[in-house]
Amino acid sequence: MEAFNKETANRHELQVVSSLEERDAYFLRNFPSVGYSNPLDFRWVKKGKTKASLTLAISENLEAVSLPLCPFGGHWIEENLSSAEVDEFIKAVLDDLRQRGVSAIRIVQAPKPYEPNFDLINYLLFKNGFELESLLSHHFFIGKKKIKKFVQKDYAKFLTKSKELGLSIQTGPISNFGFLQEIKSWNQERGYAILFDEKRLISQVSNFPERYFLISIIKEGKALAHTLGVKLLPDSIYYFLAAIQPKTSVKNLGEICLYQLFQLASDQRLNFIDLGSSDLNLGTNHNLMFFKSRFSNDISNKVTWTLKL
């Protein structure tokens, strides 16, 4: 009996709980989506400690998604695990989903700065039969000290330039949502697709106001540009939404917004900045990638995987 108990204690156990029960470091893991069941945390537990986890929401047509209407979801390795242990976790999740009658699974795996085990996870998903659906390349600026040095080197000259142009820069928590209408109308004028759900975003800000920061550039009482940053993790900020007034004659507003984002990241003592992807419907947006490369020191892919069960 002792040998049996010892062997059992050394094995992992799959636990499935509602992710709405706790606040997670990646807060969107806890946020429900219309048309999906409340998200479930699949946890790989050993001796009472969660070693790895995957949050999934199940659609009405029985597709499990990690995570719907979010920048990403994917596997999180929360303590050191061998490749065999991660592989066992993936297989255990797939077995559980089959028992629930789920017909397919879709995983948007977070880029490497968010999950250091990114390469191992993607390799094991591929070896378990997952098929690559899409790749999005994200630019990053990584390093708390490097962010601070970047700000100290160049921010002052852009601040001076802004004052010479008669611009004022407002940065802080969101107090009202009027800026969303301006972002929508400005991007529509430029022919850009509107990819965010306004009601969902307002609900997220209302529930997690400490995670969102709005940067606005003002001239003569009127907004010329907005940038919305969100702390997806407590130690990072994601360049989520941005728009510039199409008819303005003021140049370099995009650069000014980014320098202010770096200043915000420095003030918040964050470890990295995610500048997002640069894709167009028909291909790569090389101009935007070049622009972001001037404000980044790393690049990592966000990978979407699918598997029919």
Side-chain angles (χ1 to χ4, degrees):
M1 181 64 71
E2 288 183 4
F4 176 81
N5 288 339
K6 184 177 181 181
E7 179 184 355
T8 302
N10 287 330
R11 289 167 53 187
H12 291 84
E13 175 190 6
L14 182 67
Q15 295 182 359
V16 184
V17 300
S18 170
S19 72
L20 301 182
E21 295 175 0
E22 9 181 307
R23 293 173 78 89
D24 196 270
Y26 178 40
F27 71 100
L28 294 181
R29 292 176 69 173
N30 311 113
F31 205 83
S33 301
V34 175
Y36 291 84
S37 65
N38 286 335
L40 297 173
D41 274 342
F42 289 74
R43 300 176 181 175
W44 204 224
V45 179
K46 183 176 181 179
K47 296 181 180 179
K49 292 185 178 180
T50 298
K51 302 290 187 173
S53 59
L54 172 68
T55 304
L56 294 163
I58 301 174
S59 70
E60 296 171 352
N61 63 353
L62 296 178
E63 179 189 35
V65 181
S66 180
L67 286 165
L69 305 178
C70 293
F72 53 77
H75 288 78
W76 300 86
I77 309 301
E78 301 181 26
E79 292 201 8
N80 289 334
L81 286 176
S82 68
S83 59
E85 290 169 326
V86 178
D87 193 48
E88 288 174 0
F89 174 50
I90 293 172
K91 287 179 167 61
V93 171
L94 296 180
D95 287 343
D96 184 277
L97 292 176
R98 291 186 181 101
Q99 293 175 17
R100 294 173 185 268
V102 172
S103 59
I105 179 172
R106 184 172 185 266
I107 294 174
V108 184
Q109 183 60 45
K112 193 167 188 175
Y114 294 99
E115 173 46 71
N117 296 281
F118 168 87
D119 291 312
L120 174 62
I121 291 167
N122 285 314
Y123 168 73
L124 292 174
L125 290 174
F126 173 75
K127 298 302 285 188
N128 276 279
F130 281 80
E131 295 184 354
L132 177 66
E133 180 181 282
S134 69
L135 282 172
L136 288 176
S137 187
H138 281 226
H139 279 85
F140 291 88
F141 197 98
I142 300 174
K144 185 185 299 183
K145 292 182 179 179
K146 291 181 179 179
I147 292 172
K148 184 177 180 180
K149 287 182 180 179
F150 184 95
V151 171
Q152 290 174 338
K153 178 183 177 182
D154 291 322
Y155 179 70
K157 73 176 183 180
F158 273 88
L159 194 61
T160 299
K161 186 175 182 179
S162 299
K163 291 180 179 179
E164 290 174 353
L165 293 170
L167 305 176
S168 64
I169 304 173
Q170 299 177 357
T171 304
I174 297 173
S175 56
N176 67 75
F177 294 96
F179 74 95
L180 286 179
Q181 293 303 315
E182 291 180 316
I183 286 179
K184 287 174 65 176
S185 64
W186 294 346
N187 282 336
Q188 284 172 340
E189 282 187 55
R190 294 178 181 272
Y192 299 157
I194 306 301
L195 300 177
F196 67 92
D197 183 326
E198 185 174 345
K199 291 183 179 179
R200 180 177 170 85
L201 177 58
I202 290 173
S203 179
Q204 289 170 352
V205 175
S206 300
N207 282 279
F208 302 92
E210 74 282 0
R211 297 278 192 151
Y212 288 86
F213 297 85
L214 178 63
I215 299 168
S216 297
I217 301 178
I218 311 295
K219 183 172 184 178
E220 297 176 352
K222 295 184 178 180
L224 299 183
H226 296 298
T227 294
L228 181 61
V230 53
K231 292 169 69 174
L232 296 176
L233 296 183
D235 67 342
S236 71
I237 195 160
Y238 174 50
Y239 181 68
F240 176 44
L241 282 178
I244 296 172
Q245 219 276 7
K247 297 178 182 178
T248 181
S249 60
V250 180
K251 297 181 179 180
N252 301 319
L253 290 174
E255 291 184 350
I256 295 172
C257 283
L258 274 183
Y259 273 102
Q260 190 61 34
L261 184 71
F262 272 76
Q263 179 66 63
L264 174 63
S266 179
D267 292 342
Q268 293 281 317
R269 302 180 60 81
L270 303 180
N271 287 324
F272 67 89
I273 300 168
D274 180 357
L275 297 177
S277 65
S278 305
D279 278 44
L280 294 169
N281 291 335
L282 300 177
T284 303
N285 189 336
H286 291 290
N287 290 333
L288 183 55
M289 288 195 77
F290 175 75
F291 174 75
K292 289 182 179 180
S293 70
R294 298 167 48 210
F295 294 87
S296 62
N297 59 12
D298 200 2
I299 191 166
S300 180
N301 291 330
K302 180 170 68 178
V303 188
T304 299
W305 297 97
T306 59
L307 176 68
K308 292 183 179 180
L309 300 175

